[in-house]
């Protein structure tokens, strides 16, 4: 078995970084546009410190909230 089986290539790493940045920027835009005060700060921390999942969780919450109105 090759030792490289668990390594990712630079192209794959770059793609993951681009996805992380894209999701983070879009989500932070929605957070600061729709939330106020401490709630926006906490969501921003959640999005930044729990990559991808934090962003998708907020976007899911945002679209659920939009569909209620």
């Amino acid at each position: 078995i090759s030792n490289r089986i668990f390594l990712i290539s630079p192209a794959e790493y770059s793609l993951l970084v681009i996805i992380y940045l894209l999701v983070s920027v879009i989500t932070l835009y929605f957070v600061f546009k729709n939330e106020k005060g401490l709630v926006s700060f906490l969501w921003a921390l959640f999005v930044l410190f729990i990559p991808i999942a934090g962003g998708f969780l907020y976007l899911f919450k945002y679209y659920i909230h939009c569909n209620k109105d």
Side-chain angles (χ1 to χ4, degrees), residues 13-68:
Y13 181 75
S14 298
L15 182 63
L16 288 175
V17 169
I18 290 170
I19 291 171
Y20 168 71
L21 290 174
L22 187 65
V23 169
S24 295
V25 167
I26 291 170
T27 304
L28 288 173
Y29 169 76
F30 281 113
V31 165
F32 290 116
K33 179 181 168 196
N34 299 306
E35 306 293 337
K36 302 293 179 224
L38 183 62
V39 174
S40 67
F41 176 72
L42 293 175
W43 269 113
L45 286 178
F46 190 70
V47 166
L48 292 174
F49 288 113
I50 302 177
I52 308 295
F56 283 124
L57 186 64
Y58 181 79
L59 292 175
F60 180 72
K61 177 233 176 244
Y62 172 76
Y63 286 114
I64 294 273
H65 180 71
C66 283
N67 288 337
K68 282 184 179 180

